[in-house]
Amino acid sequence: MARTTTSDARKKDTREKIELGGLIVKAGLRYEKRALLLGALIELSSRVKADDGERTRLIAIGVEAFGHDGE
């Protein structure tokens, strides 16, 4: 049973990583250097923690981008 639980956890983790990678592609950053992506995400993390207005603005941009999935 522990083996099944471990396997399920690994599958869930893998799926989450694939989805997060898809966000990088959707944002048009597929071919950027990994160091740039990590730096941008670290910077973004500090910005959204410090500024609720920035967080709200970025969420709106994301919602808009997801809304255009079918186009």
Side-chain angles (χ1 to χ4, degrees):
M1 182 155 193
R3 186 175 281 174
T4 301
T5 303
T6 302
S7 177
D8 290 345
R10 288 179 65 199
K11 286 179 184 178
K12 182 179 177 183
D13 183 61
T14 299
R15 174 123 180 106
E16 184 177 72
K17 288 175 181 173
I18 290 168
E19 290 173 353
L20 292 171
L23 293 175
I24 297 296
V25 172
K26 185 162 184 64
L29 299 170
R30 175 187 294 222
Y31 301 108
E32 291 296 339
K33 292 182 182 267
R34 292 184 309 162
L36 179 134
L37 296 172
L38 181 56
L41 291 170
I42 290 168
E43 174 69 16
L44 175 64
S45 177
S46 65
R47 284 186 186 197
V48 298
K49 288 176 185 173
D51 185 346
D52 286 337
E54 181 70 355
R55 180 182 188 83
T56 300
R57 184 183 77 83
L58 293 171
I59 288 171
I61 292 169
V63 167
E64 174 81 12
F66 279 125
H68 292 145
D69 276 349
E71 296 180 13

